[in-house]
């Protein structure tokens, strides 16, 4: 067992007041070690709020968790996207457990990531793989939100990439996999109550009608419960995403 505060106390005390200072520093350091139950350098770093180093896979799933939660709620499609990344990396049972833990930590954390991402500026291939995985997660529901887009561009800058190069990774991925969102597109059409042959005006009218019906402010004014308002807020978000995807696929404004 190692007592870091005791060690530091001895050094500081000896520097300030020779042997008497070292003795006093040792006593004070020992008291702090025992009080805070610090018995290693890692324990001291954790007590000071420093995050221990993460492996490449842990960092990736930490980012994916943060990205999934950026829209306010982690959905089943995000969980499925994370599982696909585990399969892509061919993680064993232990690796999957670590990935799940890192995903949950990223989801629940508000901690800054710049210091964790900067080392990837010297490892372009690894940085590219991370960014591509982030784009896949961001589009798990079909269309990408503003917050998700901003986060990936920011993380790319911290890894030494310019915004255009980061965005190009997403465009390349969609070009190489034109059918990647076919199922999601069909779900979006179903949500709006239209089909693939519907024209732009029909789709717009359906979207506006549903948006008006489920608008949380309108329901709140009509005396809806807080739970009903939350459900309406989530429904509105789904409608926004579905409409954005259909509009992008059909090419109208």
């Amino acid at each position: 067992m190692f007592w870091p505060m005791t060690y530091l106390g001895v050094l500081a005390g000896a520097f300030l007041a020779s042997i008497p200072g070292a003795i006093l520093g040792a006593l004070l350091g020992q008291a702090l070690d025992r009080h805070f139950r610090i018995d290693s350098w890692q324990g001291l770093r954790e007590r000071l709020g420093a995050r221990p180093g993460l492996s490449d896979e842990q960092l990736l799933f930490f980012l994916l968790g943060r990205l999934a939660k950026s829209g306010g709620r982690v959905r089943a499609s995000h969980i499925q996207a994370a599982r696909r990344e585990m399969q892509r990396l061919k993680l064993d049972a232990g690796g999957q457990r670590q990935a799940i833990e890192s995903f949950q930590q990223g989801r629940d954390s508000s901690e800054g990531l710049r210091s964790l991402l900067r080392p990837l500026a010297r490892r372009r291939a690894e940085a590219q793989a991370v960014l591509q995985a982030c784009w896949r997660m961001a589009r798990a529901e079909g269309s990408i939100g503003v917050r998700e887009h901003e986060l990936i561009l920011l993380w790319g800058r911290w890894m030494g990439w310019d915004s255009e190069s980061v965005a190009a990774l997403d465009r390349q991925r969609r070009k190489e996999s034109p059918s990647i969102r076919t199922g999601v597109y069909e779900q979006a059409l179903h949500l709006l109550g239209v089909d693939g042959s519907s024209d732009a005006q029909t789709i717009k009218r359906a979207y506006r009608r549903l948006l008006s019906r489920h608008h949380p402010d309108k329901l709140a004014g009509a005396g809806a419960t807080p739970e009903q308002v939350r459900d309406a807020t989530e429904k509105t978000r789904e409608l926004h995403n579905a409409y954005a995807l259909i509009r992008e696929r059909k090419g109208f404004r």
Side-chain angles (χ1 to χ4, degrees):
M1 185 175 294
F2 179 73
W3 304 100
M5 293 301 295
T6 303
Y7 178 76
L8 293 175
V10 170
L11 291 180
F15 178 78
L16 294 174
S18 191
I19 294 178
I23 295 173
L24 179 59
L27 292 174
L28 292 175
Q30 182 70 190
L32 290 172
D33 282 327
R34 291 183 179 278
H35 178 74
F36 292 109
R37 298 180 180 178
I38 303 172
D39 57 5
S40 66
W41 287 117
Q42 180 176 338
L44 177 59
R45 288 195 298 270
E46 292 175 356
R47 173 61 62 176
L48 294 175
R51 174 173 290 279
L54 300 176
S55 68
D56 287 350
E57 288 79 12
Q58 288 174 312
L59 176 58
L60 170 61
F61 285 94
F62 188 92
L63 292 174
L64 297 182
R66 176 74 62 84
L67 202 58
K69 189 62 179 295
S70 65
R73 178 182 176 186
V74 176
R75 302 180 62 82
S77 57
H78 296 128
I79 302 299
Q80 292 171 359
R83 292 187 185 280
R84 286 195 293 270
E85 294 302 328
M86 293 182 202
Q87 294 172 355
R88 191 186 304 274
L89 294 171
K90 299 180 180 179
L91 299 181
D92 58 20
Q96 290 180 23
R97 286 194 296 271
Q98 287 187 339
I100 293 170
E101 181 180 348
S102 297
F103 185 89
Q104 292 172 340
Q105 290 173 347
R107 179 195 64 189
D108 299 332
S109 173
S110 60
E111 180 181 345
L113 289 166
R114 187 167 190 169
S115 62
L116 295 175
L117 294 177
R118 288 181 66 181
L120 288 177
R122 299 186 296 273
R123 300 160 57 200
R124 192 169 181 85
E126 288 84 351
Q128 178 174 328
V130 167
L131 290 169
Q132 289 172 325
C134 286
W135 283 124
R136 289 191 290 268
M137 175 60 72
R139 292 193 177 276
E141 292 193 85
S143 60
I144 186 169
V146 174
R147 177 58 177 163
E148 296 160 316
H149 190 270
E150 290 176 345
L151 278 177
I152 297 175
L153 294 184
L154 176 62
W155 295 344
R157 288 199 297 272
W158 288 348
M159 287 185 272
W161 289 58
D162 61 83
S163 296
E164 177 57 30
S165 297
V166 175
L169 293 176
D170 181 45
R171 292 195 297 269
Q172 178 184 6
R173 181 188 71 90
R174 286 185 288 160
K175 182 178 180 181
E176 293 174 350
S177 305
S179 63
I180 193 169
R181 292 184 292 162
T182 300
V184 179
Y185 177 67
E186 296 299 328
Q187 293 174 17
L189 292 171
H190 179 73
L191 183 62
L192 265 60
V194 298
D195 56 45
S197 63
S198 299
D199 59 27
Q201 292 304 316
T202 300
I203 295 169
K204 288 179 181 179
R205 284 195 298 269
Y207 170 64
R208 291 166 182 163
R209 181 177 65 253
L210 290 169
L211 202 61
S212 175
R213 180 187 304 171
H214 296 285
H215 199 286
D217 293 341
K218 182 177 180 179
L219 292 178
T225 65
E227 183 178 356
Q228 290 173 326
V229 172
R230 285 195 298 271
D231 290 342
T233 301
E234 181 61 29
K235 184 69 172 183
T236 299
R237 180 173 179 271
E238 292 177 352
L239 291 171
H240 281 315
N241 288 339
Y243 181 67
L245 174 58
I246 295 170
R247 184 177 60 184
E248 180 183 350
R249 179 69 66 89
K250 285 184 167 289
F252 64 83
R253 293 184 177 276

